[in-house]
């Protein structure tokens, strides 16, 4: 893990711009549309949910960029398995020198900073996990953290939910 984080840090010593591939733009667009729809629906009855979903599109981009950086660094180290295995325990001088010499093999490639559609989908799964936990921290009763956010949202809107005008939250039964 230390070596992965070291490579990520070295890769970003200069400012990097991550771009979405054409397929990733389409994938992101579908998530963006979903978040916009959820913001509009939530705006009428729950300010917390509206704000959470409103920030989700931006958070998705951040997670996708971070995940791409992680994947690029792991791939870089994986392709140089012999060096990685010789330096298992620490960031010794030989490993650091090797990274400095060889990092240009990925840092000079534009594809190292292009986020693909699969990475956007993986980031969206991470975002759903985080959003479910935000709901739990905000006092919403959410039973299963592996369910999709739409299922949670539909349960929050269901007839079993009661709107509390003072807290501007939906009080609902446990969602499972």
């Amino acid at each position: 893990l230390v070596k992965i984080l070291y490579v990520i840090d070295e890769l970003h010593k200069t400012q990097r711009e991550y771009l979405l591939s054409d397929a990733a733009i389409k994938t992101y667009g579908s998530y963006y549309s979903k978040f916009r729809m959820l913001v509009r629906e939530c705006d009428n009855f729950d300010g917390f949910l509206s704000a959470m979903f409103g920030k989700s599109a931006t958070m998705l981009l951040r997670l996708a960029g971070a995940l791409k950086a992680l994947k690029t660094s792991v791939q870089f180290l994986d392709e140089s398995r012999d060096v990685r295995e010789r330096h298992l325990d620490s960031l010794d001088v030989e490993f650091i020198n090797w990274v400095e010499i060889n990092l240009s093999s990925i840092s000079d490639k534009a594809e190292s900073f292009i986020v693909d559609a699969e990475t956007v989908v993986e980031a969206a799964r991470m975002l759903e996990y985080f959003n479910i936990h935000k709901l739990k921290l905000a006092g919403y009763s959410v039973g299963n953290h592996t369910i999709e956010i739409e299922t949670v949202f539909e349960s929050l809107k269901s007839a079993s939910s009661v709107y509390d005008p003072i807290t501007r939250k939906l009080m609902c039964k446990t969602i499972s």
Side-chain angles (χ1 to χ4, degrees), residues 43 59 72-73 79 94 105 122 144 150:
D43 212 24
M59 186 57 68
T72 299
S73 297
E79 290 172 356
E94 188 179 348
S105 68
E122 292 165 347
N144 183 348
E150 287 88 356

Side-chain angles (χ1 to χ4, degrees), residues 1-16 18 65-77 91 95 99 103 106-107 113:
L1 185 59
V2 171
K3 291 179 181 179
I4 293 169
L5 295 174
Y6 178 77
V7 171
I8 290 171
D9 185 56
E10 287 298 308
L11 191 59
H12 294 89
K13 291 285 184 190
T14 60
Q15 186 173 347
R16 302 290 179 182
Y18 285 81
L67 193 53
K68 176 60 179 174
L70 176 66
K71 286 178 162 187
T72 299
S73 297
V74 168
Q75 181 182 359
F76 171 71
L77 290 171
L91 295 175
F95 177 80
V99 169
L103 196 61
I106 60 170
S107 64
F113 305 99

Side-chain angles (χ1 to χ4, degrees), residues 2-175:
V2 171
K3 291 179 181 179
I4 293 169
L5 295 174
Y6 178 77
V7 171
I8 290 171
D9 185 56
E10 287 298 308
L11 191 59
H12 294 89
K13 291 285 184 190
T14 60
Q15 186 173 347
R16 302 290 179 182
E17 183 176 275
Y18 285 81
L19 303 172
L20 298 177
S21 69
D22 290 341
I25 289 171
K26 290 178 184 173
T27 302
Y28 173 76
S30 67
Y31 286 108
Y32 180 83
S33 297
K34 175 178 74 171
F35 294 136
R36 293 301 312 148
M37 180 273 303
L38 290 169
V39 167
R40 279 192 299 273
E41 287 191 35
C42 293
D43 212 24
N44 296 324
F45 62 84
D46 192 318
F48 171 79
L49 290 176
S50 181
M52 184 184 80
F53 289 123
K55 294 173 184 166
S56 289
T58 301
M59 186 57 68
L60 178 57
L61 287 176
R62 289 181 180 161
L63 285 171
L67 193 53
K68 176 60 179 174
L70 176 66
K71 286 178 162 187
T72 299
S73 297
V74 168
Q75 181 182 359
F76 171 71
L77 290 171
D78 202 40
E79 290 172 356
S80 15
R81 185 176 302 264
D82 60 323
V83 172
R84 190 186 69 229
E85 288 174 355
R86 277 194 319 221
H87 307 279
L88 290 176
D89 296 331
S90 65
L91 295 175
D92 60 22
V93 173
E94 188 179 348
F95 177 80
I96 291 170
N97 289 337
W98 178 84
V99 169
E100 288 177 7
I101 292 167
N102 293 288
L103 196 61
S104 63
S105 68
I106 60 170
S107 64
D108 294 342
K109 292 181 184 175
E111 64 266 14
S112 297
F113 305 99
I114 306 237
V115 178
D116 60 13
E118 178 184 348
T119 302
V120 172
V121 171
E122 292 165 347
R125 280 192 232 127
M126 291 171 58
L127 180 63
E128 283 191 358
Y129 174 84
F130 293 134
N131 280 346
I132 295 291
H133 283 81
K134 285 179 192 175
L135 291 171
K136 287 181 178 182
L137 288 171
Y140 291 92
S141 181
V142 181
N144 183 348
H145 68 273
T146 62
I147 55 180
E148 291 188 359
I149 203 72
E150 287 88 356
T151 305
V152 173
F153 180 69
E154 289 306 317
S155 295
L156 290 173
K157 288 187 351 182
S158 72
S160 65
S161 299
V162 177
Y163 178 69
D164 181 345
I166 296 172
T167 62
R168 292 193 69 210
K169 289 184 180 179
L170 288 174
M171 310 317 272
C172 60
K173 296 178 182 174
T174 298
I175 303 162

